[in-house]
Amino acid sequence: EWIIPESHPRRESLLEREKLVEGMCDGVVVPQGLIAHGRGECFDYLLGETSIPPALEAERAAAAMFHLAKHPVISVNGNVAVLAAREVVELSEATGALIEVNLFYRTRERAKAIADLLYAHGARQVLGVDDATARIPGLDSMRGLVSPNGIYKADYVLLGIEDGDRTEALVRIGKTVAAIDLNPLSRTSLAASIPIVDHIKRALTNIKRYYESMSREEASRVINSFNPRKVIADTLLYIRNRLETLARQLMYDYR
Amino acid sequence: EWIIPESHPRRESLLEREKLVEGMCDGVVVPQGLIAHGRGECFDYLLGETSIPPALEAERAAAAMFHLAKHPVISVNGNVAVLAAREVVELSEATGALIEVNLFYRTRERAKAIADLLYAHGARQVLGVDDATARIPGLDSMRGLVSPNGIYKADYVLLGIEDGDRTEALVRIGKTVAAIDLNPLSRTSLAASIPIVDHIKRALTNIKRYYESMSREEASRVINSFNPRKVIADTLLYIRNRLETLARQLMYDYR
């Protein structure tokens, strides 16, 4: 419908917005997902729209956990599916992790629409549509429903753009949780075993790359030296420095 | 339709999102308003979701201007109406300022829907629906239309979540503009006579409180010593320091 010039400096970002609006029309994304995306855009701008060093460190740890976990699951919601269906499927293929649809605003139709999008990108199996019959303790009604063969049984869950309550609930029952979230101060980032402050697409691509070039021995070493608090702290310091630079530039321009 | 659990720690923020989504369904908010809200959420996180000292200083100045202005107007768009209709009406009642609907994506239907929302919250008069016949120079077509008895005649305009072009145009024709915007680096914040980096609802509540406890003499003193550049600089320093403190705490907790 809209035409974005090839040369537009924010073309990628604008195309992503269009995909989310389309996703809303197709019933894959809820309108709240647009707001979440707007917030993500702002944090990504603060990062410089790049995978910063602490994000790469976390992505390496997330990759290592795929080597060490017995039953890894990639949890997918509407925003993740719209922004990175291909990357989810590719990471699942590379690591052997299961894919499960997991929704904050769950309806059978949305779960199905998201699964269909994943199947269209080559997924062989998607849990969480008609088999979300087990329950995560500490979460209300529909919000706690998961597949008994997927997240319920998982020792490791990789999730993205997720609500804090649910991330905390998963950690509380002993799962190792890697969480991709552009907000370093969100409850999801602060609760996660492995907080990945990066764009979902960049993060999934990097995790796959790290996974493929890592031995099991290296994976153990990476996990043993990983410190989620340090990753968050380094991210905040990075943003602080960048904000100071941006502020100086802008104040200078306006003088 | 959706039910947010009473116990969810981010219930307020989630309810606000739902109000915006409803606002979109009712034609009060445009989809772009959802993304703008998401960006605001990001900056509010950086502030700690509280009215920081430089914001309070700007709110006191905005209150002072209501004492000193001859023809103050509160400019309202879709996001402002959805997030703070009650606070707009209360501030208007307290100060005697007129209320005008002013839209970036103007249609008569949207202007009417916003006015109706304000009337439902007790507004006695809302300009800018059928009387937007005057024009602000330097703005395209529909974007420059205002009421001849409202913004056109105003010596002081309080606005929120506004486009940079329009804020700049109002300042250029000599209006004193107080602008509520969570992004301290937006063109609106940088152009405003009184930049208020705060949530719209907190800001309007604080301005009313300051207004009611201030004499005309005090108002003059407040305005004479107010410096918008200093407020922006202090806000940036506040965010920078907050990120550094948070980072240090996280590091310390780990050690």
Side-chain angles (χ1 to χ4, degrees):
Chain A
E1 190 192 339
W2 287 22
I3 294 160
I4 299 172
E6 290 280 346
S7 61
H8 195 292
R10 298 203 55 74
R11 184 178 156 79
E12 278 303 304
S13 166
L14 292 173
L15 286 175
E16 208 167 79
R17 284 189 187 176
E18 313 250 304
K19 277 166 82 175
L20 277 157
V21 172
E22 274 168 38
M24 189 172 70
C25 299
D26 299 344
V28 173
V29 169
V30 285
Q32 287 84 349
L34 288 194
I35 299 177
H37 184 70
R39 189 164 76 181
E41 274 186 6
C42 167
F43 279 109
D44 204 14
Y45 176 76
L46 295 177
L47 298 174
E49 292 170 316
T50 187
S51 299
I52 69 172
L56 293 171
E57 199 182 321
E59 284 152 5
R60 206 158 63 108
M65 270 308 296
F66 279 111
H67 280 288
L68 303 175
K70 289 205 171 56
H71 195 76
V73 173
I74 305 172
S75 172
V76 177
N77 62 21
N79 280 35
V80 171
V82 163
L83 296 172
R86 188 167 58 81
E87 287 77 9
V88 165
V89 172
E90 286 176 0
L91 183 61
S92 155
E93 291 293 309
T95 61
L98 294 171
I99 301 174
E100 175 167 344
V101 177
N102 200 230
L103 303 177
F104 191 79
Y105 297 99
R106 172 180 284 277
T107 65
R108 205 246 162 209
E109 292 66 33
R110 267 192 81 219
K112 174 94 174 38
I114 291 168
D116 287 346
L117 191 59
L118 291 161
Y119 285 128
H121 283 81
R124 283 182 286 185
Q125 191 191 10
V126 179
L127 303 172
V129 180
D130 288 315
D131 62 332
T133 55
R135 166 155 289 163
I136 303 287
L139 292 174
D140 277 18
S141 58
M142 301 296 276
R143 303 236 150 102
L145 294 177
V146 292
S147 165
N149 301 312
I151 291 174
Y152 192 76
K153 203 171 105 185
D155 52 351
Y156 174 41
V157 180
L158 171 68
L159 47 79
I161 320 170
E162 184 55 275
D163 172 65
D165 262 13
R166 297 206 303 173
T167 307
E168 287 173 356
L170 290 173
V171 171
R172 209 181 300 126
I173 57 172
K175 317 278 185 206
T176 298
V177 176
I180 303 165
D181 187 332
L182 280 159
N183 178 357
L185 297 173
S186 71
R187 286 189 308 123
T188 286
S189 291
L190 294 171
S193 330
I194 306 176
I196 302 166
V197 183
D198 202 355
H199 188 286
I200 185 80
K201 201 167 162 171
R202 295 196 303 265
L204 293 172
T205 305
N206 292 340
I207 292 168
K208 176 168 173 279
R209 191 165 43 78
Y210 278 123
Y211 177 85
E212 286 170 341
S213 66
M214 188 184 286
S215 68
R216 219 181 170 286
E217 291 66 42
E218 197 187 340
S220 295
R221 277 200 307 277
V222 165
I223 287 299
N224 285 336
S225 69
F226 184 77
N227 176 355
R229 293 283 136 150
K230 185 171 179 305
V231 159
I232 299 279
D234 287 349
T235 303
L236 295 175
L237 291 175
Y238 186 97
I239 296 175
R240 183 205 66 175
N241 291 340
R242 206 177 117 74
L243 206 62
E244 193 165 325
T245 308
L246 284 170
R248 268 212 217 99
Q249 277 169 7
L250 270 152
M251 295 303 277
Y252 187 81
D253 291 349
Y254 267 79
R255 245 184 312 187
Chain B
E1 189 190 337
W2 306 107
I3 294 158
I4 309 278
E6 289 281 347
S7 60
H8 197 292
R10 294 200 58 73
R11 186 178 156 78
E12 278 304 306
S13 167
L14 292 173
L15 286 176
E16 205 167 83
R17 288 186 178 185
E18 314 252 303
K19 277 166 82 174
L20 278 155
V21 172
E22 274 169 38
M24 189 174 71
C25 299
D26 299 343
V28 173
V29 169
V30 286
Q32 288 84 347
L34 293 193
I35 293 175
H37 182 72
R39 266 185 254 123
E41 280 187 0
C42 162
F43 282 106
D44 207 13
Y45 251 100
L46 296 178
L47 298 175
E49 293 172 313
T50 185
S51 299
I52 69 171
L56 293 171
E57 199 183 322
E59 284 151 5
R60 206 157 63 108
M65 271 306 298
F66 279 112
H67 280 288
L68 303 175
K70 288 203 170 55
H71 195 76
V73 173
I74 305 171
S75 172
V76 177
N77 62 21
N79 280 35
V80 171
V82 163
L83 295 173
R86 187 167 60 82
E87 287 76 10
V88 165
V89 172
E90 286 176 359
L91 183 62
S92 155
E93 290 293 309
T95 60
L98 294 171
I99 301 174
E100 176 167 344
V101 176
N102 200 231
L103 302 177
F104 190 81
Y105 297 97
R106 172 180 283 278
T107 64
R108 206 246 160 209
E109 291 65 36
R110 268 192 80 218
K112 173 96 174 39
I114 291 169
D116 287 346
L117 192 59
L118 291 162
Y119 286 128
H121 283 82
R124 282 183 286 188
Q125 191 190 9
V126 179
L127 302 172
V129 179
D130 289 315
D131 62 332
T133 56
R135 166 157 288 162
I136 303 287
L139 291 175
D140 276 18
S141 59
M142 302 295 275
R143 299 225 157 112
L145 294 177
V146 292
S147 165
N149 302 313
I151 291 174
Y152 192 77
K153 204 170 104 186
D155 52 352
Y156 175 41
V157 180
L158 172 69
L159 47 80
I161 319 170
E162 184 55 275
D163 171 65
D165 266 10
R166 296 209 301 174
T167 306
E168 286 172 357
L170 290 172
V171 170
R172 209 182 298 125
I173 57 172
K175 316 279 187 206
T176 297
V177 176
I180 303 165
D181 188 332
L182 280 160
N183 179 356
L185 298 172
S186 71
R187 284 188 308 127
T188 286
S189 291
L190 294 169
S193 331
I194 304 176
I196 301 166
V197 183
D198 203 356
H199 187 284
I200 184 80
K201 203 166 162 171
R202 295 196 302 264
L204 293 171
T205 305
N206 292 339
I207 293 168
K208 176 167 174 278
R209 192 164 44 78
Y210 277 122
Y211 177 85
E212 286 171 340
S213 65
M214 189 185 287
S215 67
R216 222 181 167 285
E217 290 67 41
E218 197 186 340
S220 295
R221 277 199 307 277
V222 165
I223 287 299
N224 286 336
S225 69
F226 185 77
N227 176 355
R229 288 290 133 140
K230 186 173 178 300
V231 159
I232 298 281
D234 287 350
T235 302
L236 295 173
L237 290 174
Y238 183 97
I239 295 174
R240 192 201 61 177
N241 291 341
R242 192 173 118 80
L243 290 177
E244 190 163 329
T245 306
L246 286 169
R248 280 229 195 82
Q249 275 170 6
L250 284 162
M251 303 285 259
Y252 187 80
D253 288 352
Y254 168 74
R255 255 183 309 183

